[in-house]
Amino acid sequence: MHKSQPIMGILKSITLIQCAVTMAMVAGCVPGDESIMRPKAHGTSETPVQLNLRWNCDNDQANQICNHNRHFAEFSGYWKTTPLYAEVTSSDEPITYFDSNTGKPLFIAPRGRSMAEFVAESSKHGWPSFRDEEVVWENVRCLPGGETVSVDGTHLGDNIPDASGSRYCIDLLCISGNPTGDEETLVTRYSKVKEEKNDTEDSNGVLTIMARIRGIMAGIVICSIVGLVVVVTHNKYSDKKPNNDGPNFLAVENELS
C-alpha cells in the first residue's frame, strides 16, 4: 500500500466531517455579525436585565451572563433547580421565553416535538436546548463561531449542532424576561405564522428561508474548497516516489501498536 493512501483516507474523513458540521451550523441559523455585541451603555446591551425575572432567576447572575460575558454559562442543570422544571413536566403547552433585557420573545418551545422530548434533550445536555423552528428569528442571530445572541446584544448561549441539525444550548438566565408592550401580540402573530405552513409571504419565514439558502451556499463553497485541498494534496503525494530506505506508514503504525 502506498504510504499516501492512509493519509488520504484520513484527509477524506476530515473533509466529510468538516462539511457535515459546516452544513449543520449554517443551514438553520440567521447570521449576524460582531457589531451586534459592540459595547453599549450596559455591557453588550443598552439596559440591565429586568427586575423580577421569571422562574426566580437570579438578577445579578443574569446580568453578568447576559451583558458582561461572551464565553461562560450558568452551571449545567441550573434550569432544573428553578420552577421552570415543574412547569415543563406538568404541562404540554408551549412556553414562550423572553429576552431578560428587553422582554422580546426569543424562543417558543416545544415546536415540532413533544414537551417530553424537549425536556429530555435539555436534561441530557444541561441547558434548555432549542431547535430551528423554536427560534423567533426576528430577534435572534447566530454569530461566526456559533455564539447565539439577541438582536439587542444579549448573550444567549451557543449553537452546538448534532446529527439532527442546529441545537441552541441557551442560558435560562438570559431568556427569563417578562413580555413588555406589544411583545405578547408579536408572540401571537409568530405562533400563527408557524401553524400556517403555506404562508410563505410572512417576513419572518422569508428571512429564515433566505438565510438557510445563504447558509447552504456557504457550506457548499467551503466544502468545495476543502475538497480542492484534498485533491491537491493527493496529487502531491502521488507524484512522490516511495522511499524504500525506511519503514512505510503501516510499518511505523505496527511498531507503535
Side-chain angles (χ1 to χ4, degrees), residues 41 103 110 164:
S164 298

Side-chain angles (χ1 to χ4, degrees), residues 245-256:
D245 297 330
N248 60 31
F249 183 86
L250 290 180
V252 172
E253 183 179 45
N254 290 335
E255 289 172 5
L256 294 175

Side-chain angles (χ1 to χ4, degrees), residues 214-225:
R214 289 195 298 270
I216 292 172
M217 293 302 297
I220 293 173
V221 170
I222 293 172
C223 290
S224 299
I225 293 173

Side-chain angles (χ1 to χ4, degrees), residues 74-99:
E74 65 198 24
F75 65 82
S76 176
Y78 171 77
W79 75 280
K80 296 181 75 172
T81 70
T82 72
L84 173 62
Y85 186 64
E87 187 172 340
V88 297
T89 53
S90 61
S91 174
D92 293 327
E93 291 298 314
I95 296 174
T96 301
Y97 299 82
F98 298 90
D99 191 319

Side-chain angles (χ1 to χ4, degrees), residues 160-234:
I160 306 176
D162 59 17
S164 298
S166 292
R167 179 178 62 83
Y168 306 95
C169 192
I170 304 299
D171 294 299
L172 179 63
L173 289 168
C174 301
I175 57 171
S176 56
N178 295 284
T180 58
D182 295 329
E183 300 307 332
E184 289 179 299
T185 301
L186 176 59
V187 171
T188 301
R189 179 173 65 81
Y190 184 82
S191 299
K192 183 178 180 181
V193 169
K194 296 296 289 184
E195 293 172 359
E196 295 175 354
K197 295 182 180 180
N198 294 326
D199 187 6
T200 56
E201 295 301 319
D202 176 80
S203 61
N204 185 65
V206 171
L207 178 62
T208 302
I209 292 171
M210 292 305 297
R212 290 184 178 184
I213 293 174
R214 289 195 298 270
I216 292 172
M217 293 302 297
I220 293 173
V221 170
I222 293 172
C223 290
S224 299
I225 293 173
V226 174
L228 179 61
V229 171
V230 171
V231 171
V232 172
T233 304
H234 176 66

